[in-house]
């Protein structure tokens, strides 16, 4: 596709959940690093998604203030950064469709999608166990908190009705959304599953026409996962995590599986369908690249706590970092290190790292003093890059207890799991797109 010089010199990045926490920090850091690393002839269009027009307006105002006043960039032509807002509720599939249609009609292309938005849902904390762990198991317990459980069976509001999502009523663009089949029966749709992965999955597929670069480098889809994604949290027989108290971890484990197996030959028949634009007969060539990352342990409000407990949590995070944890970066800006690096690194850099160490999950890490870096992260069944015998240089710090070295059998089982996960997700996408009309 032939593009004007103005479009070619502009990088278009879509970030979901951009108004708070890690999403907002990612926007700020992305703008700062773009201005300080790219030539003066290049510009950045940040497309920010929030759940309402009011939040979009506020988010853009805060981002404009940041870019114009940041000590990192105020001397470097902040006019090179521009913003576009889109309203998006990932638990409302009609909202996902409307957001995609708005972007298809207003954007010439998208270079990178950062799938950041997500929810954890209500959690239940075993407080006696939590306080015991904070004293006697301080590093591990605040890295892989084994005293937290989620709620069972959380569902979205009905998708096939004229009722708008609660938070979306502030936006005239979303409040009038409806399906072409109002009142039709529909299967259950998990709220955490939809917010954390399925909404992004439908959105990225709908936006494939904008990801069709037709040349090197390909577009990127960056999935923000979690450090804590154990293999036992996810089951193919419960794709949406409706029968587990670990629905959040299930959704993040599925995120890892899809991103790490998207380019494998075993998943190709289903990934090809995903990357075939609506109405087209062939998949994009080259395929956009999937990458997966996590923010380490940041003091976000995804698990909300009262004021005193929130500051106790932050204090324990600092203690864990001082005691040697590589993952407790604490600030959301440091947590944004990995997704921003994946968005701005040259394709040659990423390809070289994959050739050397395999396709990995990249985490935002720090040392005891808070100096941040990007580090490969172990994934159950995949290791550090899908290569047997890899990762011994990282030692035991930051690893889950009971983690084992990758075997050939583990790798083969992970590939099989990826193929089946892609198959199930594609079937679910086609099923819901047919329902929505």
């Amino acid at each position: 596709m032939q593009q004007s010089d103005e479009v070619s010199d502009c990088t278009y990045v879509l970030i979901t959940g951009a108004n708070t926490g890690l999403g907002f920090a990612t926007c700020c850091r992305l703008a700062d690093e773009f201005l300080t690393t790219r030539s003066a002839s290049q510009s950045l269009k940040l497309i920010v998604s929030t759940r309402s027009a009011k939040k979009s307006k506020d988010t853009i105002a805060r981002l404009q203030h940041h870019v114009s006043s940041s000590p990192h960039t105020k001397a470097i032509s902040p006019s090179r950064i521009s913003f576009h807002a889109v309203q998006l509720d990932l638990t409302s599939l009609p909202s996902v469709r409307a957001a995609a249609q708005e972007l298809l009609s207003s954007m010439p292309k998208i270079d990178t999608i950062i799938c950041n938005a997500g929810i954890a849902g209500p959690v239940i904390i075993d407080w006696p166990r939590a306080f015991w762990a904070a004293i006697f198991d301080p590093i591990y317990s605040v890295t892989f908190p084994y005293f937290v459980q989620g709620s069972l069976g959380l569902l979205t509001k009905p998708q096939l009705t004229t009722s708008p999502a609660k938070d979306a009523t502030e936006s005239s663009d979303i409040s009038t959304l409806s399906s072409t089949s109002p009142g039709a029966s529909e299967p259950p749709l998990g709220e955490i599953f939809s917010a954390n992965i399925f909404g992004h999955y439908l959105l990225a597929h709908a936006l494939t026409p904008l990801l069709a670069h037709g040349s090197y480098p390909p577009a990127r889809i960056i999935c923000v996962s979690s450090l804590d994604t154990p293999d036992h949290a996810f089951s193919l027989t419960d794709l949406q995590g409706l029968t587990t108290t670990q629905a959040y971890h299930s959704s993040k484990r599925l995120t890892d599986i899809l991103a790490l197996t998207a380019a494998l030959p075993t998943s190709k028949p289903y990934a090809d369908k995903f990357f075939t634009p609506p109405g087209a007969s062939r998949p994009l060539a080259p395929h956009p690249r999937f990458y997966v990352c996590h923010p380490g342990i940041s003091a976000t409000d995804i698990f909300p706590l009262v004021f005193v407990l929130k500051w106790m949590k932050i204090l324990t995070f600092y203690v864990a970092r001082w005691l040697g944890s590589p993952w407790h970066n604490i600030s959301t800006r440091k947590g944004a290190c990995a997704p921003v690096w994946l968005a701005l690194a040259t394709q040659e850099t990423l390809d070289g790292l994959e050739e050397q160490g395999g396709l990995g999950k990249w985490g935002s890490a720090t040392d005891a003093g808070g100096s941040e870096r990007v580090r490969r992260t172990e994934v159950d069944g995949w290791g550090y890059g899908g290569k047997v015998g890899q990762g011994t240089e990282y030692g035991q710090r930051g690893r889950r207890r009971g983690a084992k070295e990758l075997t050939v059998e583990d790798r083969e089982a992970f590939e099989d799991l990826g193929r089946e996960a892609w198959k199930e997700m594609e079937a679910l996408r086609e099923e819901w797109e047919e329902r929505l009309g």
Side-chain angles (χ1 to χ4, degrees):
M1 181 172 62
Q2 197 70 27
Q3 297 177 340
S4 68
D5 291 341
E6 182 179 354
V7 171
S8 298
D9 288 338
C10 183
T11 300
Y12 291 75
V13 180
L14 167 62
I15 304 177
T16 65
N19 56 303
T20 60
L22 181 67
F24 186 77
T26 300
C27 290
C28 293
R29 183 163 185 153
L30 187 61
D32 293 345
E33 295 194 12
F34 185 90
L35 288 174
T36 54
T37 61
R38 298 296 176 92
S39 71
S41 64
Q42 294 182 303
S43 59
L44 172 67
K45 171 78 79 173
L46 275 178
I47 307 164
V48 297
S49 90
T50 71
R51 287 165 58 98
S52 72
K54 181 180 179 182
K55 289 179 180 179
S56 293
K57 182 178 179 180
D58 174 70
T59 300
I60 288 181
R62 289 186 291 130
L63 286 172
Q64 289 172 331
H65 174 75
H66 170 83
V67 170
S68 63
S69 61
S70 170
H72 303 281
T73 60
K74 62 182 180 181
I76 312 176
S77 184
S79 62
R80 290 164 53 201
I81 308 292
S82 59
F83 304 97
H84 180 88
V86 61
Q87 282 75 65
L88 171 64
D89 178 359
L90 290 161
T91 67
S92 167
L93 303 189
S95 168
V96 172
R97 172 169 289 190
Q101 290 172 344
E102 194 276 325
L103 292 174
L104 288 168
S105 65
S106 61
M107 293 293 120
K109 65 169 183 170
I110 291 178
D111 296 289
T112 299
I113 301 175
I114 301 179
C115 302
N116 164 77
I119 60 174
V123 297
I124 301 170
I125 300 176
D126 184 342
W127 286 110
R129 195 179 186 195
F131 283 120
W132 181 93
I135 297 170
F136 298 105
D137 194 13
I139 298 180
Y140 189 83
S141 66
V142 294
T143 307
F144 304 101
Y146 44 77
F147 43 80
V148 178
Q149 289 188 334
S151 300
L152 277 171
L154 296 177
L155 301 177
T156 65
K157 293 182 178 181
Q159 304 293 323
L160 305 181
T161 70
T162 55
S163 301
K166 180 179 179 181
D167 194 62
T169 55
E170 298 172 326
S171 166
S172 60
D173 295 329
I174 293 179
S175 62
T176 57
L177 295 177
S178 65
S179 164
T180 57
S181 305
S185 61
E186 63 180 85
L189 183 62
E191 183 178 37
I192 293 173
F193 171 75
S194 184
N196 293 0
I197 187 164
F198 191 55
H200 284 120
Y201 190 89
L202 292 184
L203 178 68
H205 171 73
L207 293 177
T208 48
L210 297 180
L211 301 173
H213 292 187
S215 61
Y216 186 90
R220 300 174 189 177
I221 301 173
I222 300 171
C223 302
V224 179
S225 182
S226 169
L227 170 65
D228 190 12
T229 58
D231 57 356
H232 61 75
F234 172 76
S235 170
L236 272 173
T237 60
D238 185 22
L239 187 74
Q240 301 188 38
L242 294 176
T243 64
T244 175
T245 58
Q246 301 294 320
Y248 173 80
H249 299 93
S250 173
S251 71
K252 294 303 183 180
R253 171 69 174 172
L254 179 56
T255 298
D256 292 355
I257 293 167
L258 293 173
L260 292 171
T261 61
L264 298 182
T266 49
S267 301
K268 188 177 187 302
Y270 310 106
D272 277 352
K273 290 173 66 178
F274 175 80
F275 284 123
T276 300
S281 58
R282 281 188 268 178
L284 301 181
H287 278 190
R289 300 283 184 85
F290 267 100
Y291 296 97
V292 64
C293 64
H294 68 84
I297 311 294
S298 299
T300 68
D301 290 326
I302 193 166
F303 298 106
L305 295 171
V306 298
F307 180 80
V308 174
L309 293 176
K310 176 180 178 180
W311 284 102
M312 287 178 63
K313 177 185 75 172
I314 293 173
L315 176 61
T316 60
F317 285 0
Y318 274 107
V319 171
R321 190 167 85 186
W322 296 331
L323 291 176
S325 168
W327 298 125
H328 286 80
N329 47 60
I330 303 168
S331 80
T332 52
R333 183 177 177 87
K334 293 181 186 297
C337 178
V340 170
W341 173 74
L342 283 171
L344 293 181
T346 65
Q347 195 61 49
E348 290 79 9
T349 296
L350 297 178
D351 290 348
L353 289 169
E354 288 182 11
E355 183 177 353
Q356 179 183 10
L359 179 60
K361 178 179 179 179
W362 301 96
S364 300
T366 63
D367 60 19
S371 297
E372 67 251 46
R373 64 191 185 278
V374 175
R375 171 177 154 164
R376 283 184 180 268
T377 306
E378 191 172 22
V379 176
D380 289 349
W382 185 255
Y384 290 91
K387 294 190 174 184
V388 176
Q390 177 193 42
T392 55
E393 68 271 21
Y394 294 112
Q396 291 300 312
R397 285 190 174 182
R399 293 186 81 187
R400 177 183 295 281
R401 285 177 187 154
K404 59 182 181 178
E405 304 304 323
L406 181 67
T407 66
V408 172
E409 293 76 17
D410 292 336
R411 160 75 192 236
E412 290 175 349
F414 192 90
E415 287 192 31
D416 291 342
L417 182 62
R419 180 190 66 245
E420 293 304 311
W422 271 98
K423 179 180 178 181
E424 292 294 321
M425 289 293 286
E426 273 302 286
L428 193 63
R429 175 183 67 79
E430 292 176 345
E431 178 184 342
W432 272 106
E433 287 181 346
E434 182 178 356
R435 279 196 175 88
L436 293 169

